[in-house]
């Protein structure tokens, strides 16, 4: 059943990819695939959370951009959309018992929640870095697929660092 939902998500992502350009559709798809793979491979919830957070930010950019194209503007729209997606993800995970297990914490915070907020921060930083690099180069990318490589690369590197910390230090 999980594989069916994952496949439906991928198909939906591909269908909607042409409707928004706030965050690269390939990048969003790569984040979604990374999340699906991490759950399927039973990777630690802290690492899965990073990908969940990145996916939430990506969806937030898409939704905000879509609403603006439809001339639907309201104060704090980006923040409200972000909180909406956070609740949409975290509440079902909490009520299904995936979030909240007392032995699945780091620094006293549930690993999935901690990872989600870390992923949100990392994805915003990656987006900022990409825009900063473009602004330094007359609004042109330095290399092909920069908009995809920077965020996905940052997520992969952080996931690897956290994996190594969890495996060899904690």
């Amino acid at each position: 059943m999980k594989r069916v939902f994952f496949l439906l998500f991928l198909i939906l992502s591909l269908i909607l990819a042409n409707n928004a350009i706030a965050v690269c559709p390939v990048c969003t798809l790569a984040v979604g695939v990374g999340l699906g793979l991490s759950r399927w491979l039973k990777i630690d919830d802290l690492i899965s959370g990073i990908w969940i957070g990145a996916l939430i930010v990506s969806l937030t950019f898409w939704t905000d951009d879509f609403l603006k194209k439809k001339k639907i503007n309201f104060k704090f729209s980006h923040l409200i959309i972000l909180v909406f997606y956070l609740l949409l993800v975290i509440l079902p995970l909490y009520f299904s018992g995936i979030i909240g297990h007392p032995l699945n914490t780091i620094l006293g915070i549930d690993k999935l929640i901690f990872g989600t907020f870390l992923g949100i921060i990392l994805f915003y930083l990656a987006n900022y870095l990409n825009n900063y690099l473009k602004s330094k180069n007359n609004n042109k990318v330095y290399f092909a697929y920069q908009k995809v490589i920077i965020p996905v690369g940052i997520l992969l590197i952080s996931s690897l660092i956290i994996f190594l910390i969890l495996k060899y230090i904690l």
Side-chain angles (χ1 to χ4, degrees):
M1 192 64 166
K2 289 179 185 178
R3 290 182 185 178
V4 171
F5 282 122
F6 182 68
L7 183 61
L8 287 173
F9 171 76
L10 288 178
I11 291 169
L12 184 62
S13 296
L14 290 172
I15 291 170
L16 295 175
N18 294 329
N19 293 335
I21 57 170
V23 172
C24 173
V26 175
C27 188
T28 301
L29 187 63
V31 169
V33 169
L35 171 60
L37 281 173
S38 71
R39 295 305 286 174
W40 185 61
L41 296 171
K42 307 233 186 285
I43 293 175
D44 192 272
D45 281 348
L46 185 59
I47 297 169
S48 296
I50 290 173
W51 294 87
I52 290 171
L55 187 59
I56 288 171
V57 172
S58 184
L59 290 171
T60 299
F61 277 122
W62 273 29
T63 304
D64 199 25
D65 189 53
F66 174 79
L67 291 175
K68 285 180 179 162
K69 284 182 180 179
K70 298 292 182 184
K71 298 189 181 357
I72 301 172
N73 295 316
F74 50 95
K75 197 170 187 174
F76 305 115
S77 63
H78 191 82
L79 181 62
I80 291 169
I81 294 166
L82 178 68
V83 169
F84 170 76
Y85 279 125
L86 266 171
L87 292 174
L88 194 65
V89 169
I90 289 177
L91 288 178
L93 292 174
Y94 175 75
F95 288 119
S96 66
I98 294 174
I99 291 177
H101 193 280
L103 298 177
N104 193 32
T105 61
I106 188 162
L107 303 173
I109 303 169
D110 186 88
K111 284 183 175 182
L112 205 50
I113 291 175
F114 188 88
T116 299
F117 281 97
L118 183 60
I120 288 171
I121 292 166
L122 288 171
F123 203 78
Y124 275 117
L125 288 174
N127 192 42
Y128 174 79
L129 177 62
N130 178 57
N131 290 336
Y132 174 77
L133 290 174
K134 279 178 52 179
S135 72
K136 290 293 181 185
N137 196 27
N138 296 323
N139 267 348
K140 295 179 184 176
V141 295
Y142 281 99
F143 51 90
Y145 302 106
Q146 174 180 313
K147 194 173 186 177
V148 176
I149 292 170
I150 288 176
V152 173
I154 287 175
L155 293 173
L156 284 171
I157 291 168
S158 355
S159 296
L160 178 63
I161 290 169
I162 289 175
F163 171 77
L164 294 172
I165 289 171
L166 291 172
K167 184 164 177 88
Y168 295 109
I169 297 176
L170 297 179

